[in-house]
Amino acid sequence: MSKRVAVVTGGIGGLGTEICKSLARAGRTVIAADLGARAERVAEFQREVDGLDVRFEAANVGDFDACGALVRKLEAEHGTLDILVNAAGITRDTTLRKMERTDWDAVLNINLDGVFNMCRYAVDGMLARGFGRIVNISSVNGQTGQFGQTNYSAAKAGMHGFTMALAREVARKGVTVNSVSPGYCETAMVMAVPEEVRTKIIDSVPVGRLGKPSEIARTVEFLTADEAGFITGANIPVNGGLFMSF
Ligand code: CAA
């Protein structure tokens, strides 16, 4: 069987980078789709994945047409697109009373519309070929809500509703759709949280530390395996036991 081909959106980000590496080490051809405008980060990413079957492709998941073009390009180049990991995500944290319409739109556009945009184009080929693995990177904050994150929590909770609905639609055709809900991990996104807030959050995590991006990647790799065909419509929390704190 030829190598499975995977696309990871947000592929050069904090979680996305580790997901790309993990999928490549598991024998997949990996395309990291992310904003090309981050030129320095793209160069750094390319050094990090040197020697692995990973390459960068510029794409904005918030742009429906661009997602169509990306999927068609990858299918033409590789003859298949087997695995889609939607890991592109942004925050615009602020309380609802201070939230601008642009803060809402930006987060919903990337975090939720982006999932629709990529799935809308990727799913046809997966169904035709009778195999697909879709993993949507949600968040513990989509399950619990978080102060200052009405936009982000809504998008991340919405992502899981989307996951379950699509999982039902494609369940009989060899395509699985799952979400992974990370807790607080060692990423730039979490490091941007004010230190005193972050310290309180870490104190509330039973495991007593931030998660490592590789611990999220491990879960994604597990869900995308050929052997994972009986897991679908699930939401896997990887949060250091955070639920037990409430
Ligand atoms: N719970 C309850 N009350 C809180 C609170 C909390 N978590 N945080 C602040 N408050 C209170 C404050 O004590 C303050 O009360 P008073 O008005 O009585 O003084 C009031 O709410 C306003 O607080 P701030 O002045 O701090 O409000 P702000 O606008 O300056 O800051 C914020 C709000 C930007 C949202 C800031 O609290 C913040 O950054 N919080 C962290 C949000 C967060 O956890 N984001 C996660 C990012 S990482 C991620 O999203 C990855 C993932 O998936 C896990």
Side-chain angles (χ1 to χ4, degrees), residues 15 90-96 98 111 137-142 146-149 152-153 156 181-185 187-194 196-198 200-201 242:
L15 298 181
I90 59 167
T91 52
R92 293 284 185 276
D93 293 353
T94 186
T95 54
L96 182 74
K98 295 183 196 162
N111 298 19
I137 305 300
S138 182
S139 166
V140 65
N141 294 343
Q146 174 58 295
F147 189 98
Q149 287 200 310
Y152 187 88
S153 299
K156 294 297 188 180
S181 287
Y184 285 75
C185 294
T187 62
M189 184 183 276
V190 170
M191 291 309 164
V193 173
E196 75 273 15
V197 179
R198 197 171 62 244
K200 273 194 206 148
I201 290 169
L242 203 49

Side-chain angles (χ1 to χ4, degrees), residues 5-9 19 23 31 33 61 70-71 74 81-87 114-123 126 131-137 162 166 175-178 220 224:
V5 177
V7 61
V8 180
T9 74
I19 293 169
L23 294 183
I31 297 92
V61 297
L70 173 67
V71 170
L74 299 182
L81 182 56
D82 309 299
I83 298 167
L84 165 62
V85 181
N86 287 302
V115 175
F116 166 77
N117 294 344
M118 286 301 294
C119 289
R120 178 66 186 81
Y121 285 107
V123 86
M126 291 179 176
F131 180 86
R133 297 280 180 267
I134 298 174
V135 180
N136 297 322
I137 305 300
F162 176 98
L166 181 59
V175 180
T176 65
V177 191
N178 293 288
V220 175
T224 56

Side-chain angles (χ1 to χ4, degrees), residues 8-167:
V8 180
T9 74
I12 67 171
L15 298 181
T17 300
E18 283 306 312
I19 293 169
C20 288
K21 289 188 201 165
S22 167
L23 294 183
R25 287 188 191 117
R28 285 71 175 267
T29 293
V30 181
I31 297 92
D34 210 313
L35 296 177
R38 300 166 65 193
E40 268 177 34
R41 175 61 202 141
V42 173
E44 190 185 18
F45 172 81
Q46 275 158 345
R47 286 191 292 277
E48 279 180 55
V49 299
D50 189 38
L52 294 170
D53 187 0
V54 179
R55 74 174 173 81
F56 173 77
E57 189 74 47
N60 176 2
V61 297
D63 181 335
F64 184 61
D65 295 338
C67 291
L70 173 67
V71 170
R72 281 191 292 270
K73 181 175 185 213
L74 299 182
E75 287 182 332
E77 281 175 4
H78 299 277
T80 186
L81 182 56
D82 309 299
I83 298 167
L84 165 62
V85 181
N86 287 302
I90 59 167
T91 52
R92 293 284 185 276
D93 293 353
T94 186
T95 54
L96 182 74
R97 295 179 69 194
K98 295 183 196 162
M99 190 174 289
E100 301 290 344
R101 178 74 209 203
T102 49
D103 298 324
W104 174 266
D105 288 342
V107 169
L108 271 288
N109 178 240
I110 300 300
N111 298 19
L112 189 56
D113 295 353
V115 175
F116 166 77
N117 294 344
M118 286 301 294
C119 289
R120 178 66 186 81
Y121 285 107
V123 86
D124 281 347
M126 291 179 176
L127 293 174
R129 292 182 294 268
F131 180 86
R133 297 280 180 267
I134 298 174
V135 180
N136 297 322
I137 305 300
S138 182
S139 166
V140 65
N141 294 343
Q143 301 175 282
T144 62
Q146 174 58 295
F147 189 98
Q149 287 200 310
T150 49
N151 49 5
Y152 187 88
S153 299
K156 294 297 188 180
M159 194 186 272
H160 186 55
F162 176 98
T163 295
M164 292 187 290
L166 181 59

